[in-house]
């Protein structure tokens, strides 16, 4: 065993994961990888957003194939072993622990380094030490490179390797990396994997698709699988509805006092869509919610999100307007293409949205992007409320505490003043001539409500659809049902709430949660296109 060659760390990581209470077995991916290994010289790069299980899968692949392990204690009880032979006659035991595996999670050397040279020299030196200690009978060149050492091993022994590279692109997010460093790293990976006889399989994961620099220096031997563009391998990253159902059943058996409802997992963490149309949950967030018996935002908005928010603040290509619409729950058209790992320089709105899809902040489906779930919606709302550089939409969000309190008090004068400010500002964000854009403005001026309410839009309720329902998280707080009308009165809005029995939806949801609430407030907002005046009314149900 070495540090990178047949490392015990992958085995330890996956064995630990398998013993956790909310483990999901994804070992069927091995049945798709084994034929690639058998054929040899295959290269796969699977990219997914953060927190989608990429590292666990990489550790699983390495621990399955590595020859210095005895992995029967893990895999003999998992899906890969439930059928000794599949329809093609494949026997998984012929491949388990039969290969020399080079397993590198690039996060560790990237975090330890202070420059690109620190990073790459550490990786090269450790890997070369592993190879020369393991293959003492091979005649190596005195000052040979890692690639030359691997070629020497193959030419003298016929030995092939499986390369498992996790978080291949993490080095690109380090402050000390330059564009030239990025190109050097791409070239190093290309030299290690391209046109070599010693590779049975390269299995690489990361967030960013592989950058394309030039035909002579790119890793164009890799088949890339992104969530938005290729359906293959989609079922192995993220949780499906069926898998979350299974975990939730386990949760109900494990917890004496369950505090998480099944529908809430969908509301908080679902909403991602693969190229094949499969809906997926953020796996890490689901697991942590069940382990902690608590719904919360487990997403950490560091690194790239801080950079992307700069593009929103600067309103690159008018991106701010569309972000406001998405915070209101709308989908917006976007031409999403692969976001290369070359730089964070983005000159168009589509490039900004493409980056957001790659990093997992937005979902792409049917030619449109949208914010996938409450967890991410809260991140966007936090950005809007905290960044004064967002200008107009930040000012509206800053007024949201006053708007919520005015609604709870029935202070319609203040409500109308805030809405009028939204309309009369010198640089209005939206055209404000249809109900969709009125809805976006109302969403912004109620952002503060997300701190203490579940806010749902256009839910089927009674005999129609209601614009907003504010479900209180704290027992005893008032609930709010809000209806909007363009070229109609707030009285008509409240009449619709009553006639279509929207209150039944609210009461049913609160009964399901076994949560006591205070008053149920009915709020109507009307806007006249001709006189451009807002009128508000609040009544008790």
């Amino acid at each position: 065993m070495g540090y990178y060659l047949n490392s015990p760390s992958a085995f330890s990581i996956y064995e630990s994961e398998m013993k956790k209470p909310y483990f999901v077995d994804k070992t069927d991916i091995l049945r798709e990888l084994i034929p690639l290994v058998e054929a040899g010289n295959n290269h796969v790069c699977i990219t997914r957003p953060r927190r989608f299980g990429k590292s666990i899968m990489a550790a699983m692949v390495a621990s399955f194939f590595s020859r210095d392990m005895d992995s029967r204690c893990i895999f003999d009880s998992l899906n890969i072993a439930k059928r000794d032979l599949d329809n093609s006659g494949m026997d998984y035991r012929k491949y388990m622990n039969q290969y020399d595996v080079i397993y590198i999670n690039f996060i560790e050397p990237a975090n330890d380094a202070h420059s690109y040279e620190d990073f790459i020299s550490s990786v090269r030196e450790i890997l070369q030490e592993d190879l020369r200690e393991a293959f003492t009978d091979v005649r190596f060149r005195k000052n040979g490179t890692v690639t030359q050492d691997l070629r020497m091993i193959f030419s003298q022994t016929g030995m092939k390797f499986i390369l498992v590279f996790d978080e291949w692109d993490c080095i690109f997010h380090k402050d000390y990396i330059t564009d030239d460093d990025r190109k050097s790293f791409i070239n190093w990976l290309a030299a290690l994997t391209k046109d070599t006889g010693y590779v049975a399989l390269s299995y690489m994961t990361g967030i960013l698709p592989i950058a394309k620099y030039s035909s002579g220096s790119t890793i164009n031997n890799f088949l890339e699988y992104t969530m938005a563009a290729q359906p293959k391998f989609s079922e192995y990253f993220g949780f499906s509805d069926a898998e979350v159902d299974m975990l939730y059943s386990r949760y109900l058996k494990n917890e004496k006092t369950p505090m998480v409802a099944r529908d809430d997992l969908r509301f908080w963490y679902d909403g991602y869509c693969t190229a094949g149309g499969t809906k997926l949950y953020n796996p890490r967030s689901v697991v942590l919610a069940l382990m902690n018996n608590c719904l919360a935002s487990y997403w950490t908005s560091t690194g790239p999100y801080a950079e992307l928010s700069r593009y929103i603040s600067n309103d690159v290509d008018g991106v701010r307007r569309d972000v406001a619409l998405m915070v209101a729950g709308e989908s917006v058209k976007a031409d999403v293409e692969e976001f290369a790992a070359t730089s964070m320089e983005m000159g168009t709105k589509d490039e900004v949205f493409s980056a957001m899809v790659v990093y997992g902040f937005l979902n792409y489906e049917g030619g449109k992007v949208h914010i996938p779930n409450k967890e991410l919606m809260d991140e966007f709302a936090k950005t809007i409320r905290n960044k004064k550089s967002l200008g107009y939409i930040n000012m509206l969000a800053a007024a949201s505490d006053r708007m919520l309190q005015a609604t709870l008090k029935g202070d319609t004068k203040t409500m109308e003043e805030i809405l009028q400010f939204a309309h009369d500002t010198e640089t209005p964000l939206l055209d404000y001539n249809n109900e969709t854009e009125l809805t976006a403005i109302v969403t912004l001026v109620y952002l503060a409500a997300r701190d203490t309410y579940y806010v749902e839009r256009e839910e089927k309720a009674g005999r129609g659809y209601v614009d907003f329902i504010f479900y209180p998280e704290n027992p005893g707080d008032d609930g709010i049902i809000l209806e909007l009308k363009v070229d109609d009165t707030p009285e008509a809005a409240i009449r619709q709430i009553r006639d279509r029995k929207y209150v039944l939806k609210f009461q049913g949801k609160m009964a399901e949660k076994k949560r006591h609430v205070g008053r149920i407030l009915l709020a109507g907002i009307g806007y006249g296109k001709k006189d451009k005046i807002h009128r508000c009314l609040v009544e008790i149900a």
Side-chain angles (χ1 to χ4, degrees):
M1 294 185 187
Y3 197 85
Y4 292 144
L5 178 63
N6 299 321
S7 167
S9 63
F11 181 89
S12 177
I13 290 168
Y14 193 67
E15 182 182 40
S16 174
E17 188 69 20
M18 180 192 134
K19 293 177 180 178
K20 292 179 180 177
Y22 299 109
F23 167 75
V24 174
D25 184 350
K26 301 278 191 177
T27 54
D28 279 336
I29 192 176
L30 294 168
R31 294 187 175 276
E32 300 196 46
L33 297 180
I34 285 172
L36 302 181
V37 171
E38 193 169 40
N41 195 30
N42 277 295
H43 310 272
V44 171
C45 181
I46 300 175
T47 57
R48 289 297 184 273
R50 300 164 65 208
R51 318 305 186 192
F52 261 71
K54 301 184 298 296
S55 293
I56 295 302
M57 293 297 286
M60 184 266 286
V61 171
S63 58
F64 177 80
F65 286 111
S66 180
R67 75 165 64 253
D68 281 358
M69 306 293 169
D70 183 353
S71 299
R72 288 175 297 178
C73 61
I74 293 179
F75 293 99
D76 283 357
S77 63
L78 298 179
N79 287 343
I80 186 68
K82 289 183 180 176
R83 296 167 293 166
D84 269 358
L85 300 175
D86 68 6
N87 292 334
S88 65
M90 180 191 300
D91 183 351
Y92 78 100
R93 289 166 296 192
K94 287 173 54 180
Y95 303 90
M96 185 168 63
N97 305 137
Q98 298 300 309
Y99 294 85
D100 283 301
V101 174
I102 296 172
Y103 166 74
I104 305 176
N105 184 330
F106 285 110
I107 286 180
E108 179 196 350
N111 287 343
D112 290 343
H114 299 288
S115 68
Y116 174 70
E117 186 53 40
D118 284 347
F119 162 78
I120 199 64
S121 61
S122 170
V123 172
R124 285 192 305 237
E125 288 169 11
I126 293 173
L127 180 52
Q128 200 159 38
E129 287 173 6
D130 283 353
L131 293 172
R132 297 196 175 200
E133 288 177 6
F135 295 93
T136 55
D137 294 336
V138 171
R139 300 182 304 279
F140 295 104
R141 290 186 61 202
K142 184 177 180 180
N143 297 313
T145 65
V146 169
T147 301
Q148 289 170 341
D149 284 1
L150 288 167
R151 291 182 186 275
M152 288 291 188
I153 293 169
F154 177 63
S155 65
Q156 296 177 40
T157 69
M159 191 72 67
K160 290 189 176 184
F161 293 81
I162 292 176
L163 312 181
V164 179
F165 294 155
D166 189 24
E167 303 287 1
W168 81 272
D169 56 326
C170 69
I171 189 66
F172 287 10
H173 303 304
K174 295 300 179 181
D175 292 338
Y176 55 75
I177 292 297
T178 67
D179 284 344
D180 286 342
D181 293 336
R182 292 184 178 95
K183 292 177 183 178
S184 294
F185 184 57
I186 289 286
N187 290 338
W188 184 78
L189 288 175
L192 202 62
T193 62
K194 191 175 181 180
D195 299 329
T196 62
Y198 58 74
V199 176
L201 173 70
S202 300
Y203 177 91
M204 192 158 72
T205 74
I207 296 173
L208 300 174
I210 301 170
K212 303 295 190 290
Y213 285 98
S214 70
S215 60
S217 62
T218 57
I219 323 177
N220 56 10
N221 52 317
F222 273 83
L223 296 176
E224 296 188 59
Y225 299 93
T226 64
M227 187 161 71
Q230 291 88 18
K232 190 174 177 63
F233 298 121
S234 292
E235 65 267 37
Y236 305 117
F237 300 87
F239 289 164
S240 67
D241 254 320
E243 288 168 335
V244 175
D245 285 343
M246 174 194 69
L247 293 178
Y248 192 73
S249 297
R250 202 180 299 171
Y251 161 77
L252 293 178
K253 294 176 182 177
N254 292 345
E255 287 291 341
K256 293 181 180 178
T257 310
M259 301 296 291
V260 175
R262 175 64 181 86
D263 282 347
D264 287 338
L265 291 175
R266 182 175 292 107
F267 183 52
W268 273 79
Y269 310 121
D270 193 12
Y272 293 95
C273 186
T274 69
T278 303
K279 297 289 186 180
L280 293 175
Y281 293 69
N282 181 318
R284 178 178 183 270
S285 296
V286 170
V287 167
L288 289 176
L290 298 180
M291 285 180 61
N292 296 337
N293 196 21
C294 176
L295 292 161
S297 179
Y298 297 105
W299 186 277
T300 53
S301 57
T302 57
Y305 186 71
E307 182 71 8
L308 288 166
S309 68
R310 178 168 67 87
Y311 287 89
I312 300 172
S313 297
N314 293 341
D315 201 22
V316 171
D317 199 18
V319 69
R320 200 183 299 173
R321 175 187 182 276
D322 283 349
V323 168
L325 286 171
M326 286 189 285
V327 170
E330 298 293 329
S331 296
V332 300
K333 289 183 179 179
D335 183 10
V336 170
E337 298 179 358
E338 288 183 355
F339 177 69
T342 54
S343 70
M344 288 291 287
E345 292 302 318
M346 291 167 276
T348 69
K349 181 168 53 180
D350 285 335
E351 287 176 339
V352 174
F353 288 157
S354 294
M356 286 187 166
V357 168
V358 165
Y359 286 113
F361 298 109
L362 296 178
N363 180 56
Y364 178 67
E365 184 178 3
K368 294 183 177 182
V369 290
H370 65 269
I371 301 170
N373 51 45
K374 174 175 168 56
E375 182 174 40
L376 269 298
M377 186 68 80
D378 286 353
E379 290 296 325
F380 277 88
K382 188 189 304 179
T383 297
I384 287 173
R385 291 176 66 187
N386 293 339
K387 282 194 171 291
K388 292 184 179 180
S389 58
L390 288 172
Y392 176 62
I393 60 175
N394 172 258
M395 288 189 287
L396 295 185
S400 60
D401 284 305
R402 287 178 57 224
M403 188 69 174
L404 176 60
Q405 293 307 313
T407 305
L408 294 171
K409 294 175 182 176
D411 181 0
T412 56
K413 181 180 178 181
T414 298
M415 294 170 64
E416 290 168 355
E417 287 176 354
I418 293 171
L419 288 168
Q420 207 62 43
F421 162 77
H423 182 271
D424 292 343
T425 183
E426 292 182 1
T427 54
L429 181 69
L430 304 167
D431 295 335
Y432 212 79
N433 284 322
N434 57 58
E435 195 162 312
T436 296
E437 297 190 342
L438 174 60
T439 299
I441 294 297
V442 169
T443 298
L444 291 173
V445 298
Y446 277 102
L447 272 184
R450 297 179 187 275
D451 294 339
T452 52
Y453 287 85
Y454 291 162
V455 182
E456 291 187 357
R457 277 202 54 213
E458 294 184 351
E459 286 293 308
K460 191 170 184 180
R463 293 178 289 176
Y465 289 85
V466 63
D467 284 324
F468 293 90
I469 298 184
F470 295 66
Y471 297 103
E473 295 184 20
N474 301 321
D477 282 359
D478 296 336
I480 303 171
I481 302 174
L482 192 150
E483 185 71 21
L484 310 176
K485 289 291 183 184
V486 174
D487 278 343
D488 212 333
T489 65
E491 288 82 5
I494 288 182
R495 186 164 55 249
Q496 179 173 314
I497 293 173
R498 294 188 186 278
D499 290 348
R500 296 190 179 178
K501 303 186 186 303
Y502 293 158
V503 174
L504 294 178
K505 163 75 175 180
F506 180 90
Q507 291 173 329
K509 188 72 170 273
M510 291 295 95
E512 181 182 303
K513 292 178 174 291
K514 299 179 181 179
R515 185 171 298 160
H516 167 68
V517 297
R519 303 170 301 168
I520 302 175
L521 302 178
L522 314 182
I525 297 176
Y527 171 71
K529 286 184 181 179
K530 291 183 179 180
D531 61 17
K532 304 196 182 300
I533 292 176
H534 300 81
R535 296 175 177 84
C536 301
L537 183 64
V538 178
E539 294 181 357
I540 299 174

